[in-house]
Amino acid sequence: MLQLHELDYHLFLEKSPESVVLIADGKCVYANQSAANLLGLDKPEDLIGQDMLDFVSSLDVEGLRSIIEGRAKGEKQPLRYEFKLRRIDGSEIDAETHVTMINFEGRSASLAYIRDLTEGKQLENQMRVKLEVLHRHAVNLVNMNSIVEAMEYSFDIIDELLGFSNGAIGIVEEDYLKFIYTRNVSSDVLPEMPLSGKGITVRAVKTGKTQLIHDTRLDHDYVKDIDEPDKLSELDVPVKIGGKVIAVINLESEQPNAFTKEDKEIVEILSEHLASAISRIEQLKAIKASEEEYRMLLDSSLDSVVLLSDTKILYANSNMAKLLCYDSASELIGQDISITLADEEKELVRQRTTSRQRGEPQPDRYELKLLRKDGKIVEAETVVSLIEYKNKPAVLALSRDVTERNRYERQVMALHRHAAALAQAGSYDEVCKATLDAIESVIGFHLLAFMAVREGVLISIGNRGSPPLDRALPLDGPGVTVKAAREQRSILVKDTRLEPDFVRGPTDSLSELTVPIVVDGQTVGVINMESIELNAFNEMDQKLLETLAMHVSTTIINLRSQEKIKRNIEELERSNRDLDDYTYVVSHDLKAPLRTIKSFSSFLLEDLGDRLDETEKDYLNRIDAAATNMDRLIEDLLLLSRVGRKFTNVEPVDLNVLLEEIRNDQVAVIDEKKAELIVDDLPTIEVQRIWMKQLFANLVNNGLKFNKSPNPKVVASSVTDDENYLFSVKDNGIGIDNKYHSQIFKIFERLNSTEEYKGTGAGLAISKKIVEYFGGKIWLESEPGVGSVFYFTIPKKKPIRSGSE
Ligand code: ADP
């Protein structure tokens, strides 16, 4: 049970707007002013000590008495009931009481709140009607299209429900309150109020609480407007979205106490509806703005754009229409996407589009063949993304025309294949043919000319599609082709009629593309394409032709260096031949005087033999020996000069047989030195027999000759690989120091004295010349005192050489 102390309940009850009486033993022990008012008494004291049943209509006295008595006996009785209250003047009103049992100064007492139902019921009914009206209007309010419209409508509602409407609606913008709508006040009043300043309306914004002012003169925030009559009452209701004050409804009246609690309640409810109306309008504005922005973005996109819902085109931009050759995007909108697709793509796109909209992962970038309105195909690279459009999943597809790019890629590939053929060209005629072939297959058949620069003029060296130019074009003359050659740059003429430099040739060309071929900074030629069609060539063709021209110039550089090498080799061969001729002639001519010397020195010896002393005989013998030696040298020189000149046929030679012949030739030496010549299994090769024999004989000879071993041994063997025969002649002779390895191949170079080892020093020089004539190489490995191995190779593929004597 509630314990109430006097001080508490006095403070509490006196303030209460409700009518309260405290009843103990049926008598009133306390009442507040409201209760006195309700019962028609002047002051609460008049009620103290009164029997409360005296204020109950005779109709309800019995009922109430039994409730009170029952409660006193501790029975359970209702605490809230309605009854007819009889005021002191005898008038009766419907009332309701709500009783709380409390402990009052040690006794049980009833604290009764009494409410006048007559007035309450009326108010309640009025309110209910008003609220119904409000809610009906709210539906319209929320559908308003602009904030001002919503405000105007709000004031209409206020007008209808409150019976008057003077005021304004302000919107909070940063630190200001801007009145964007006023009613029945001149509109230049309160255009803008700083939120930092005074004013009851401002306070409503700042506190977020409704300000109901019955008498503004008592409010220190009231700001009087000089041009307007005093507003004695004011109602300011903040409009909030998400707890934030965004606006305020301001109502004013020149009368004090113009607004009731109910008015306040109604405007507060209205403010909530206005808040949702404003927030919806703002949202719509934002959506519309973003949608417009989006549309603008797509419209101005360089790509071709379509927006699909399922497979239906919701939107297409003008680029898409252009790409597909439609007159306008609206022709596409509403159509099924399949009308824009090549037959082979339809099924794939349908599958991908539907499963993408179901949220299944799909590739988002692929190449598609699109179908133009005129039935032609466009190759496009398409990037797709799933977006939300008007709350539904939609597919946004951005396409880019890659027909040209793909064509260019294919052409570049083809060009590279041709470039390989071009690189193989062995002559200018072949270069010209390969170039024209490449253009024809890569760019297409046109009027083609391959022209070369010769002594300041351009002459046609190859043509396709048109007869060759019958005259030379001087480089300083007129014409696009000549200009391209002279200025070393490509010239693309899309309409020859508009080109002042164009000179009409044998054909009526309307477009032309000329690309110069430049080698080492010099124009060596031009590739010229013409067409009787307008605009036949584009920048891609130009690029392709330039690439081709680069390949041509590389090929020409190669050809030139090959030619140079060939010329050098020919030159070298010629001078070698000259030298051989010279050697041959000189050696030949030296033989006759030598023979004379030899003859006459031997005549002298024979005729004067007895008359000569020993010294004189010795002199003559020496002359004879020197002449004999010189004869050998000359013989060797002749032999050397004959290598490669003496015409001998290539024949299959069994080298085993050849080596047996050499053994027979050398049999005296072999026997004398108790030497051994071992011949491993040697191949049969196609070769000039006499030179091969000379070569092996020299090496075997040396192996036996430069050998001090008690058992001289010479081994001839061979190894064969795919390209070469490799032969070796190995001995266990005196060996040769490394530093002499190149010297010994020079003519007449000898390391040892003639007394010890006979010879002229020409053998290895002749051997080397023979090996090189065969196209091979000769070298050696040797260790002094141990032995030497001479190696030489003979290529299987014979070098083409001419021999003559
Ligand atoms: P020649 O045999 O007439 O002296 P070559 O041209 O055949 O002339 O040889 C040149 C020199 O190389 C020889 O004088 C010798 O000094 C050296 N030589 C050649 N073959 C051998 C070998 N098998 N062993 C050692 N020395 C050699």
Side-chain angles (χ1 to χ4, degrees):
M1 196 179 278
L2 193 70
Q3 291 284 337
L4 204 64
H5 296 286
E6 217 168 338
L7 188 70
D8 298 332
Y9 75 69
H10 272 266
L11 275 174
F12 174 69
L13 299 174
E14 235 126 70
K15 288 246 152 71
S16 172
E18 309 249 26
S19 309
V20 187
V21 289
L22 186 63
I23 306 152
D25 301 327
K27 300 274 186 300
C28 174
V29 291
Y30 170 82
N32 67 2
Q33 183 61 47
S34 302
N37 291 350
L38 182 65
L39 296 173
L41 297 162
D42 286 341
K43 45 189 191 307
E45 290 79 53
D46 298 342
L47 251 174
I48 308 293
Q50 300 258 16
D51 187 341
M52 280 319 287
L53 285 176
D54 291 345
F55 293 94
V56 177
S57 159
S58 53
L59 291 167
D60 287 330
V61 166
E62 282 317 305
L64 242 71
R65 191 190 305 270
S66 75
I67 290 176
I68 294 165
E69 284 173 2
R71 189 182 294 137
K73 281 188 240 150
E75 289 169 10
K76 208 171 158 70
Q77 292 295 336
L79 292 171
R80 188 175 182 276
Y81 38 86
E82 285 187 16
F83 69 103
K84 251 193 171 28
L85 182 146
R86 195 176 65 199
R87 305 180 76 209
I88 203 77
D89 61 1
S91 64
E92 291 186 359
I93 55 168
D94 289 327
E96 179 197 58
T97 185
H98 187 246
V99 178
T100 309
M101 300 307 293
I102 63 164
N103 193 312
F104 177 69
E105 291 166 358
R107 300 179 284 169
S108 164
S110 308
L111 183 68
Y113 286 84
I114 305 161
R115 196 174 296 151
D116 179 352
L117 281 184
T118 330
E119 188 199 348
K121 267 185 181 150
Q122 270 171 10
L123 273 178
E124 208 176 275
N125 287 340
Q126 273 174 22
M127 258 316 254
R128 198 175 299 133
V129 171
K130 284 184 179 176
L131 287 176
E132 271 171 27
V133 172
L134 185 58
H135 284 293
R136 259 202 326 277
H137 283 302
V139 180
N140 297 331
L141 185 63
V142 168
N143 283 316
M144 293 285 130
N145 288 322
S146 79
I147 291 178
V148 174
E149 219 181 311
M151 289 177 173
E152 184 168 20
Y153 194 66
S154 299
F155 265 100
D156 290 346
I157 298 169
I158 291 169
D159 208 5
E160 186 179 335
L161 297 181
L162 269 55
F164 84 93
S165 56
N166 291 354
I169 297 184
I171 288 277
V172 177
E173 262 176 32
E174 290 178 7
D175 297 335
Y176 285 87
L177 185 59
K178 291 186 179 158
F179 287 88
I180 59 169
Y181 184 81
T182 57
R183 176 160 303 188
N184 298 328
V185 280
S186 56
S187 56
D188 57 343
V189 176
L190 304 172
E192 214 173 88
M193 291 179 84
L195 287 180
S196 54
K198 274 174 66 160
I200 298 165
T201 320
V202 166
R203 193 168 71 209
V205 174
K206 285 200 286 201
T207 58
K209 291 204 171 84
T210 300
Q211 305 296 314
L212 173 56
I213 311 301
H214 296 300
D215 190 338
T216 55
R217 289 166 298 191
L218 306 176
D219 197 305
H220 60 277
D221 271 339
Y222 177 66
V223 184
K224 188 192 147 19
D225 198 299
I226 7 158
D227 305 328
E228 292 264 318
D230 267 351
K231 301 293 182 313
L232 294 186
S233 30
E234 186 167 336
L235 173 61
D236 291 289
V237 179
V239 180
K240 297 188 227 175
I241 296 177
K244 200 173 155 238
V245 181
I246 55 132
V248 62
I249 303 172
N250 159 259
L251 296 175
E252 299 166 338
S253 169
E254 289 168 27
Q255 306 300 317
N257 293 311
F259 305 102
T260 65
K261 249 170 46 194
E262 287 72 32
D263 293 340
K264 172 181 169 254
E265 236 169 85
I266 286 170
V267 180
E268 278 177 342
I269 294 170
L270 176 69
S271 83
E272 279 169 33
H273 290 302
L274 181 61
S276 28
I278 292 176
S279 96
R280 184 185 152 273
I281 291 165
E282 305 247 90
Q283 261 173 27
L284 277 181
K285 232 178 17 192
I287 289 172
K288 234 173 138 193
S290 74
E291 208 168 276
E292 253 159 39
E293 217 170 81
Y294 197 47
R295 230 161 230 274
M296 257 168 57
L297 205 76
L298 295 184
D299 274 337
S300 59
S301 167
L302 289 176
D303 288 315
S304 304
V305 181
V306 283
L307 188 63
L308 303 177
S309 167
D310 292 327
T311 58
K312 202 167 156 186
I313 302 175
L314 290 181
Y315 166 82
N317 71 353
S318 54
N319 270 351
M320 191 70 193
K322 224 181 284 164
L323 177 69
L324 299 177
C325 293
Y326 283 84
D327 298 332
S328 78
S330 57
E331 258 187 276
L332 284 164
I333 294 169
Q335 301 273 17
D336 196 273
I337 189 67
S338 63
I339 68 151
T340 70
L341 298 170
D343 282 343
E344 66 257 46
E345 307 277 19
K346 284 184 172 138
E347 184 52 27
L348 177 82
V349 170
R350 199 192 55 74
Q351 275 174 12
R352 282 188 178 164
T353 310
T354 46
S355 55
R356 181 173 295 109
Q357 287 174 20
R358 276 203 301 270
E360 293 163 17
Q362 291 293 317
D364 51 10
R365 180 185 284 267
Y366 44 86
E367 282 201 9
L368 269 183
K369 287 194 172 64
L370 301 182
L371 183 67
R372 298 195 334 195
K373 195 183 179 187
D374 60 10
K376 288 199 178 128
I377 297 294
V378 189
E379 290 172 41
E381 186 182 61
T382 300
V383 179
V384 284
S385 46
L386 191 65
I387 62 162
E388 190 160 291
Y389 185 75
K390 296 194 171 153
N391 295 327
K392 277 169 71 183
V395 167
L396 183 70
L398 293 101
S399 302
R400 198 165 283 186
D401 185 354
V402 290
T403 315
E404 280 293 288
R405 189 188 77 188
N406 286 355
R407 182 174 75 95
Y408 182 66
E409 273 170 10
R410 282 193 291 269
Q411 284 174 325
V412 169
M413 293 285 286
L415 190 62
H416 283 298
R417 276 199 305 279
H418 278 280
L422 198 58
Q424 299 291 315
S427 70
Y428 289 96
D429 278 348
E430 281 173 38
V431 170
C432 172
K433 187 183 173 300
T435 306
L436 297 177
D437 284 349
I439 298 172
E440 242 181 67
S441 84
V442 173
I443 302 180
F445 183 78
H446 288 282
L447 312 171
L448 307 179
F450 190 103
M451 306 182 88
V453 176
R454 297 277 154 80
E455 287 150 14
V457 294
L458 265 182
I459 54 162
S460 174
I461 60 168
N463 283 78
R464 299 271 164 97
S466 65
L469 210 60
D470 50 0
R471 64 206 147 85
L473 304 174
L475 279 181
D476 52 5
V480 171
T481 313
V482 165
K483 191 176 174 187
R486 191 172 52 233
E487 296 182 4
Q488 299 192 336
R489 63 181 177 94
S490 309
I491 300 181
L492 172 60
V493 181
K494 297 196 170 189
D495 184 348
T496 55
R497 295 167 304 184
L498 305 176
E499 173 58 53
D501 285 323
F502 184 75
V503 177
R504 235 157 58 102
T507 39
D508 283 333
S509 308
L510 286 179
S511 35
E512 173 173 354
L513 172 58
T514 299
V515 173
I517 302 162
V518 180
V519 173
D520 294 336
Q522 296 277 313
T523 307
V524 298
V526 290
I527 305 171
N528 172 256
M529 292 179 82
E530 293 186 21
S531 172
I532 53 166
E533 277 171 36
L534 261 184
N535 223 352
F537 312 108
N538 61 19
E539 282 69 16
M540 296 257 196
D541 296 322
Q542 180 179 331
K543 256 198 237 165
L544 286 169
L545 211 56
E546 281 169 356
T547 312
L548 184 62
M550 255 155 59
H551 285 302
V552 171
S553 82
T554 319
T555 309
I556 290 176
I557 291 170
N558 278 344
L559 272 183
R560 283 186 176 178
S561 64
Q562 272 171 29
E563 272 174 358
K564 205 167 161 189
I565 291 168
K566 211 171 133 199
R567 268 201 311 275
N568 284 348
I569 289 173
E570 277 170 8
E571 180 67 18
L572 203 66
E573 281 179 347
R574 197 182 50 74
S575 72
N576 276 346
R577 242 186 345 262
D578 286 352
L579 199 65
D580 283 347
D581 288 348
Y582 175 75
T583 312
Y584 179 76
V585 170
V586 169
S587 316
H588 205 265
D589 289 356
L590 282 174
K591 285 203 106 178
L594 196 60
R595 258 197 311 274
T596 312
I597 294 170
K598 267 191 78 132
S599 309
F600 284 96
S601 61
S602 60
F603 290 161
L604 275 177
L605 263 177
E606 276 169 28
D607 295 351
L608 304 172
D610 303 338
R611 276 182 278 160
L612 294 174
D613 61 23
E614 282 310 304
T615 312
E616 289 163 342
K617 269 188 196 164
D618 183 43
Y619 287 168
L620 281 174
N621 277 329
R622 283 192 194 202
I623 290 171
D624 183 63
T628 307
N629 190 34
M630 193 168 172
D631 190 47
R632 265 193 233 115
L633 291 175
I634 290 170
E635 275 301 322
D636 282 345
L637 267 182
L638 277 170
L639 189 60
L640 187 72
S641 75
R642 274 195 194 106
V643 176
R645 271 163 34 98
K646 194 175 162 67
F647 181 77
T648 50
N649 279 331
V650 169
E651 56 187 300
V653 178
D654 183 342
L655 296 177
N656 301 299
V657 175
L658 193 85
L659 264 289
E660 281 317 306
E661 279 177 27
I662 292 169
R663 187 201 299 279
N664 286 335
D665 295 346
Q666 308 273 330
V667 72
V669 185
I670 292 169
D671 286 351
E672 186 206 337
K673 296 189 98 170
K674 295 190 176 66
E676 206 182 346
L677 172 61
I678 299 166
V679 179
D680 281 351
D681 192 21
L682 297 181
T684 298
I685 66 172
E686 292 268 335
V687 76
Q688 282 94 338
R689 193 171 201 286
I690 63 155
W691 296 126
M692 198 62 189
K693 187 173 175 187
Q694 183 73 53
L695 173 59
F696 265 115
N698 284 350
L699 297 177
V700 170
N701 253 344
N702 284 350
L704 295 170
K705 182 164 66 179
F706 300 103
N707 205 319
K708 284 183 176 163
S709 161
N711 307 103
K713 198 163 140 189
V714 175
V715 185
S717 36
S718 84
V719 187
T720 304
D721 67 21
D722 284 348
E723 287 174 14
N724 294 302
Y725 298 103
L726 171 67
F727 296 99
S728 65
V729 177
K730 181 181 173 184
D731 65 53
N732 54 349
I734 57 170
I736 308 156
D737 198 306
N738 268 350
K739 62 183 175 205
Y740 301 119
H741 284 194
S742 60
Q743 194 181 320
I744 56 172
F745 288 102
K746 290 182 181 151
I747 186 128
F748 303 141
E749 287 281 353
R750 311 196 74 232
L751 304 178
N752 316 95
S753 69
T754 322
E755 281 76 47
E756 205 176 348
Y757 303 101
K758 294 212 157 16
T760 59
L764 285 179
I766 292 167
S767 301
K768 185 168 186 260
K769 202 171 175 194
I770 294 169
V771 171
E772 282 171 359
Y773 171 70
F774 287 152
K777 279 192 181 121
I778 185 165
W779 70 99
L780 73 147
E781 286 169 8
S782 180
E783 202 179 318
V786 178
S788 315
V789 193
F790 281 82
Y791 295 97
F792 66 92
T793 59
I794 294 180
K796 287 182 165 177
K797 216 173 114 192
K798 296 278 162 341
I800 306 141
R801 275 169 204 276
S802 52
S804 64
E805 194 170 21

